[in-house]
């Protein structure tokens, strides 16, 4: 009687007795595949026989040997712990809930959770941070600490959650995590309800020539800035709650579906996480058009620099939704019905260490106590493929974090757009390129049945392609002319590139640097503010929804004072379409490698270390990528600043950038990290040592697909086609 070699050694399984799969009896399509007249030998020579009573079945093997040299029609699963695999809460497991007790049901709820996380942390936070600064008198570095609190919390929790959660009840860790995330959102909105009313005193002609001379500089700090600690705590809870989602959630999906379908499931999961920020930008932007005190009227418009929108509404909705979605996630069993067959079917692709220490992870008792934690870390550190995949992921994360933070600012400067227009345009790029690339990456791994080495080569191809496309940043759009910043008021070049906003036409206006409100003159030249353009009156009628300023002495038109319109001048850059197209390519191929790289990480480590490996990888990615990424990009981009904000003599944020310098610095930063990423993928591919070929002799597809390492070898164990 021949034994299937794929069931011994390779996955750490060596069966000395018949295997009992404790799962509910399959139904539908599964029952046809698994409840068959013929038996299958799943022991090392021990025959199985039919039994006449349940008592006898407990003492006998599950199935008996037949006249077959290979697996028969399938495996018969015996329901011994159906209640443990039922969906519900404690003893409450109604039959109607079992409809969702499938891999697709889990995928749906996890997608909703990842969508809410992305919408809140990467959407709402980035959208409302300016309004929060204005409402609570925060400086930029303080708002930066608020944003960083999420990653700091994640780094602190990742080791604990991934190690103990990976060997525990994953859905419970996931459900409680989503609940904590919801509490963080509600806490983030709390300061709106505990502070006084936001009051603004303004008139229609603020900023006009001779109208702002009485404004005083008030650098004193407000007590409202103390609320930054509440925001930091809210972000800290966001980070804690989201930690299980992208470690345990990924491995829970991977464990409960066929190996071939795992990349598709993970790709759908991450696509939802990418669509979340897009929704956050759109919904958050819509809420910012509503005044923060929704029950009061105000005489200022959203274009006014003193406007504060209803930043808090989105966090209330996201928090409530997170609390609701955590309830069904908490009801899922430790493993889904029928998932045990995927463990038997899985062919190990873990990197083979020279000393054979990787076999320790196959011990069923390994990783259940704190004593095994150092050994778990050591096993991962001895895996060079895993290490270099982590480093490659960190370089890609640096680019993604940097571009997501400063991408809108890059478009705003290059094309002379408003902040909202730039954010919307960047969203149109990220949604199809990021979301499509993420899903396409998982689809390609499944379509071509790539094994670990082939997946790394796909990542390398994507990185090289995006590396070539990043040279598009050699193309740049010229700056729109701005009086006193890019040229003098009479149109000549500035001496020594020194900013000088004062000229004879506005010398008597007493304009303040603190009042930045750009206007576009009828001569198509921008000015720092209506005051700096010498405008003396404001028209009562709006033009295209914008204020119109008249009698502007610095805007000459046919030797008479001209007009100026609120906002920046429109750019007519002819290279706009080309630049956007190649930016789309860079984003597409950067995200295209994300799911394959994640899949390669899952496959190059032993099965029992998958959750912990993802946790360690996330720590590396955050500490070397997500956290320093925006800082690296920001420091490079700040070098191209032409005009800084003046806050009572202190330097604030940058108002105007030099487009050519910004493109050059972006190109240099992108090239450095893309070259590093390419190098790390090359080294990971060269050092990867797959299991010996004889460990997959049970494969039935080798002859069909050839011996290329790009083809995944399927074990001969049949599987149901439902996913």
């Amino acid at each position: 009687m021949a034994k299937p070699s794929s069931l011994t050694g390779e996955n750490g399984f060596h069966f000395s007795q018949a295997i009992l799969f404790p799962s509910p009896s399959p139904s539908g399509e599964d029952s046809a595949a698994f409840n068959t007249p013929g038996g299958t030998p799943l022991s090392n020579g021990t025959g199985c026989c039919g039994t006449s009573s349940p008592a006898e079945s407990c003492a006998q093997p599950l199935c008996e040997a037949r006249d077959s040299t290979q697996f028969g029609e399938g495996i018969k699963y015996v329901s011994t712990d159906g209640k443990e695999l039922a969906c519900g809460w404690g003893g409450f497991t109604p039959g109607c809930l079992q409809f969702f007790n499938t891999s697709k049901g889990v995928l749906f709820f996890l997608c909703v959770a990842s969508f809410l996380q992305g919408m809140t942390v990467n959407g709402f936070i980035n959208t409302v941070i300016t309004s929060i600064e204005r409402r609570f008198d925060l400086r930029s570095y303080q708002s930066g600490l608020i944003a960083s609190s999420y990653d700091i919390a994640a780094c602190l929790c990742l080791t604990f959650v991934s190690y103990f959660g990976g060997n525990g009840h994953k859905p419970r860790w996931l459900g409680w995590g989503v609940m904590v995330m919801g509490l963080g959102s509600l806490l983030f909105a709390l300061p709106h309800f505990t502070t006084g009313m936001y009051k603004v005193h303004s008139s229609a002609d603020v900023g006009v020539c001779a109208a702002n001379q009485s404004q005083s500089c008030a650098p004193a700090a407000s007590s409202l800035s103390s609320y930054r600690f509440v925001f930091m705590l809210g972000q800290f809870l966001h980070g804690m709650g989201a930690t299980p989602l992208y470690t345990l959630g990924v491995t829970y999906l991977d464990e409960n579906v066929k190996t071939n379908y795992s990349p598709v499931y993970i790709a759908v999961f991450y696509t939802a996480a990418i669509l979340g920020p897009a929704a956050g930008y759109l919904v958050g932007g819509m809420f910012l058009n509503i005044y923060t005190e929704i029950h009061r009227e105000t005489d200022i418009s959203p274009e006014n620099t003193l406007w504060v929108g209803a930043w808090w509404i989105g966090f209330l909705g996201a928090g409530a939704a997170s609390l609701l979605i955590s309830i069904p996630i908490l009801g899922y069993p430790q493993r889904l019905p029928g998932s045990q067959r995927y463990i038997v079917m899985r062919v190990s692709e873990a990197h083979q260490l020279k000393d054979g220490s990787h076999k320790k992870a196959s011990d069923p008792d390994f990783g259940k106590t704190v004593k095994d934690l150092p050994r778990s870390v050591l096993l991962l550190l001895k895996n060079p493929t895993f290490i270099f995949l982590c480093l490659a992921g960190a370089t890609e994360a640096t680019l993604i974090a940097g571009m997501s933070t400063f991408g809108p600012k890059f478009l705003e400067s290059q094309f002379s757009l408003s902040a909202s227009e730039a954010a919307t345009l960047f969203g149109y790029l990220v949604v199809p390129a990021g979301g499509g690339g993420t899903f396409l990456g998982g689809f390609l791994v499944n379509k071509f049945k790539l094994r670990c080495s082939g997946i790394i080569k796909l990542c390398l191809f994507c990185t090289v392609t995006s590396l070539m496309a990043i040279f598009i940043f050699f193309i740049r759009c010229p700056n729109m002319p701005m009086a006193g910043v890019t040229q003098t008021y009479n149109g000549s070049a500035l001496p020594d590139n020194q900013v000088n906003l004062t000229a004879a036409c506005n010398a008597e206006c007493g304009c303040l640097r603190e009042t930045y409100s750009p206007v576009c003159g009828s001569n198509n030249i921008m000015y720092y503010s209506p005051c700096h353009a010498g405008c003396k009156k404001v028209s009562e009628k709006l033009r295209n929804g914008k204020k119109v300023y008249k009698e502007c002495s610095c805007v000459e038109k046919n030797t008479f004072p001209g007009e100026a319109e609120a906002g920046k001048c429109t750019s007519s850059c002819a290279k706009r379409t080309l630049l956007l197209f190649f930016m789309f390519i860079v984003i597409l191929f950067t995200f295209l490698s994300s799911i394959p790289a994640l899949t390669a990480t899952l496959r190059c480590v032993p099965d029992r270390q998958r959750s912990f490996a993802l946790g360690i990888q996330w720590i590396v990615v955050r500490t070397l990528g997500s956290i320093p990424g925006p800082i690296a990009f920001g420091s490079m981009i700040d070098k191209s600043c032409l005009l800084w904000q003046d806050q009572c003599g202190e330097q604030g944020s940058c108002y105007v950038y030099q487009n050519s310098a910004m493109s050059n610095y972006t190109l240099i930063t992108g090239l450095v990290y893309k070259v590093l990423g390419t190098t790390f993928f090359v080294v990971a591919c060269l050092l990867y040592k797959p299991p010996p070929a004889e460990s997959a002799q049970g494969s039935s597809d080798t002859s069909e697909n050839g011996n290329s390492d790009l083809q995944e070898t399927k074990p001969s164990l049949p599987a149901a086609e439902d996913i």
Side-chain angles (χ1 to χ4, degrees):
M1 186 62 183
K3 294 184 296 181
S5 60
S6 62
L7 293 180
T8 60
E10 188 175 20
N11 285 319
F13 295 104
H14 186 81
F15 303 111
S16 58
Q17 296 180 355
I19 303 174
L20 177 65
F21 293 103
S23 65
S25 300
S27 59
E29 190 177 34
D30 287 348
S31 60
F34 293 96
N35 294 328
T36 59
T40 301
L42 288 177
S43 65
N44 294 339
T46 303
C48 301
C49 59
T51 58
S52 58
S53 69
E56 294 177 0
S57 66
C58 294
Q60 297 290 338
L62 294 179
C63 46
E64 65 177 341
R66 300 296 181 188
D67 296 331
S68 174
T69 58
Q70 58 179 349
F71 287 98
E73 295 297 326
I75 306 170
K76 184 175 181 179
Y77 288 83
V78 179
S79 178
T80 60
D81 55 351
K83 290 185 178 180
E84 294 182 9
L85 301 182
C87 183
W89 305 271
F92 181 69
T93 56
C96 59
L97 291 180
Q98 309 317 310
F99 174 78
F100 300 99
N101 198 19
T102 63
S103 56
K104 293 180 181 178
V106 172
L107 178 65
F108 171 76
F109 289 115
L110 289 183
C111 282
V112 175
S114 66
F115 179 86
L116 291 173
Q117 183 273 337
M119 182 174 67
T120 304
V121 177
N122 300 318
F124 289 154
I125 297 291
N126 294 339
T127 303
V128 307
I129 199 71
T130 303
S131 298
I132 291 176
E133 289 178 358
R134 188 176 300 142
R135 176 66 178 90
F136 296 94
D137 299 331
L138 301 179
R139 295 192 179 270
S140 297
Y141 80 90
Q142 293 172 333
S143 60
L145 285 175
I146 293 173
S148 298
S149 298
Y150 173 84
D151 290 308
I152 294 171
C155 286
L156 293 176
C157 298
L158 272 168
T159 302
F160 174 81
V161 171
S162 60
Y163 183 76
F164 292 102
N167 294 295
H169 197 295
K170 293 185 180 69
R172 290 178 185 170
W173 284 82
L174 288 165
W176 287 113
V178 174
M179 187 173 293
V180 169
M181 190 172 67
L183 293 175
S185 296
L186 296 179
L187 180 63
F188 203 93
L190 182 63
H192 170 76
F193 302 96
T194 58
T195 55
M197 302 289 292
Y198 179 65
K199 299 179 181 179
V200 179
H201 301 283
S202 65
S203 59
D205 53 355
V206 165
V208 177
C209 180
N212 62 353
Q213 294 179 356
S214 60
Q215 291 187 9
S216 59
C217 183
S222 169
S223 60
L224 290 176
S225 62
S226 299
Y227 277 98
R228 67 184 183 275
F229 297 110
V230 179
F231 294 129
M232 291 173 65
L233 180 58
Q235 275 285 74
F236 201 87
L237 293 179
H238 283 153
M240 291 176 58
T243 298
L245 201 56
Y246 297 104
T247 52
L248 306 182
V250 171
T251 52
Y252 190 69
L253 288 174
D254 182 66
E255 293 166 357
N256 288 283
V257 298
K258 288 174 61 177
T259 303
N260 289 353
Y261 291 122
S262 176
V264 177
Y265 272 70
I266 296 174
V268 172
F269 173 67
Y270 270 88
T271 301
I274 291 174
L275 294 178
Y281 276 108
L282 295 176
V283 177
M286 179 181 67
F287 288 146
L288 289 183
N289 287 324
I290 304 173
Y291 189 56
T292 185
E293 307 294 346
I294 56 177
H295 58 283
R296 294 176 64 92
E297 295 184 357
T298 181
D299 59 346
I300 62 174
S301 64
E303 288 77 19
N304 194 296
T305 56
L306 300 176
W307 174 273
V308 173
W311 58 271
W312 48 273
I313 298 179
F315 293 99
L316 286 182
S322 296
L323 293 178
L324 288 176
I325 205 67
S326 67
I327 297 175
I329 295 177
L330 284 169
Y332 274 95
Q334 189 168 3
R335 58 181 178 83
L336 296 180
S339 62
Q340 190 73 12
R341 63 180 180 266
Y342 300 126
I343 298 178
V344 180
M345 290 162 49
R346 180 173 288 129
V347 178
S348 176
E349 299 178 51
H351 176 82
Q352 306 295 292
L353 301 177
K354 292 181 179 180
D355 58 3
S357 57
H358 59 278
K359 296 179 181 178
K360 296 178 183 177
S362 300
D363 185 352
D365 295 325
F366 181 78
K368 292 187 177 180
T369 63
V370 181
K371 293 187 296 183
D372 292 329
L373 180 59
R375 282 201 298 168
S376 296
V377 175
L378 182 61
L379 283 177
L380 293 177
L381 293 178
K382 292 168 65 176
N383 189 333
T385 304
F386 170 76
I387 294 298
F388 282 101
L389 284 176
C390 289
L391 293 176
T395 59
E396 295 296 287
T398 302
L399 290 174
I400 292 174
M403 287 304 297
S404 62
T405 304
F406 297 103
K409 180 174 288 189
F410 180 84
L411 298 180
E412 179 181 348
S413 177
Q414 294 291 321
F415 306 140
S416 189
L417 303 173
S418 67
S420 59
E421 291 172 336
T424 302
L425 181 58
F426 190 71
Y428 289 152
L429 283 176
V430 170
V431 171
T438 301
F439 181 80
L440 184 60
F443 174 79
L444 291 176
V445 174
N446 175 61
K447 177 68 175 178
F448 296 104
K449 299 178 174 59
L450 303 182
R451 300 201 68 185
C452 189
S453 59
I455 294 173
I456 299 175
K457 292 175 183 177
L458 174 62
C459 296
L460 179 59
F461 168 78
C462 295
T463 307
V464 172
T465 303
S466 57
L467 171 63
M468 302 303 295
I470 210 168
F471 282 99
I472 190 60
F473 288 110
F474 271 128
I475 298 177
R476 71 289 307 266
C477 296
N479 280 87
M480 292 299 296
M482 186 171 186
V485 179
T486 62
Q487 64 180 36
T488 62
Y489 276 79
N490 58 17
S492 60
L494 284 170
D496 301 325
N497 295 323
Q498 294 295 320
V499 174
N500 183 13
L501 298 175
T502 303
C505 59
N506 61 19
E508 297 180 357
C509 295
C511 303
L512 297 177
R513 286 283 296 269
E514 287 77 15
T515 308
Y516 177 69
S517 180
V519 294
C520 181
S522 53
N523 55 0
N524 209 33
I525 295 177
M526 285 200 305
Y527 297 87
Y528 190 89
S529 70
C531 178
H532 288 84
C535 303
K536 297 179 176 59
K537 293 183 178 179
V538 182
S539 175
E540 297 181 357
K541 295 183 179 180
L542 301 179
R543 180 187 299 167
N544 299 323
K546 298 180 179 180
K547 289 183 180 180
V548 178
Y549 299 90
K550 296 184 176 181
E551 298 184 17
C552 303
S553 57
C554 297
V555 184
E556 294 186 2
K557 187 176 183 181
N558 299 327
T559 67
F560 292 101
E563 297 180 346
E565 189 175 287
K568 300 178 181 178
C569 294
T570 304
S571 174
S572 58
C573 181
K575 303 171 184 176
R576 175 172 176 166
T577 303
L578 184 64
L579 183 59
L580 290 176
F581 173 76
F582 277 94
M583 284 187 66
F584 179 90
I585 297 298
V586 172
I587 298 172
L588 174 67
F589 279 92
T590 298
F591 279 90
L592 188 62
S593 65
S594 59
I595 297 303
L598 181 65
T599 306
T601 302
L602 290 172
R603 295 191 183 183
C604 76
V605 298
D607 288 355
R608 296 186 64 82
Q609 282 199 297
R610 292 186 172 194
S611 295
F612 187 56
L614 282 185
I616 296 298
Q617 185 181 53
W618 272 110
I619 292 176
V620 175
V621 166
R622 290 183 188 279
T623 54
L624 299 182
S626 300
I627 295 176
I631 299 174
F633 266 81
S635 60
M636 293 294 286
I637 289 178
D638 278 345
K639 293 180 181 297
S640 60
C641 184
L642 286 175
L643 179 64
W644 288 96
Q645 179 186 19
D646 188 345
Q647 295 179 323
C648 301
E650 295 183 7
Q651 189 180 87
S653 59
C654 183
Y655 285 146
V656 181
Y657 294 92
Q658 187 177 13
N659 287 351
S660 59
M662 176 182 275
S663 293
N664 291 336
Y665 287 127
T666 303
L667 174 63
I668 293 172
T669 308
L671 279 178
V672 168
Y673 284 104
K674 280 295 179 182
V675 169
L676 286 175
T678 302
T679 304
F680 292 144
F681 278 126
V682 169
V683 176
C685 186
L686 293 177
L687 296 182
Y688 173 65
K689 183 181 179 182
E694 59 269 15
S695 64
Q697 289 177 354
S699 172
S700 62
D701 289 68
T702 305
S703 58
E704 295 180 21
N705 298 329
N707 295 322
S708 170
D709 64 349
L710 295 180
Q711 298 294 331
E712 178 170 16
T713 305
K714 295 181 181 179
S716 58
L717 193 64
E721 290 302 316
D722 65 302
I723 58 171

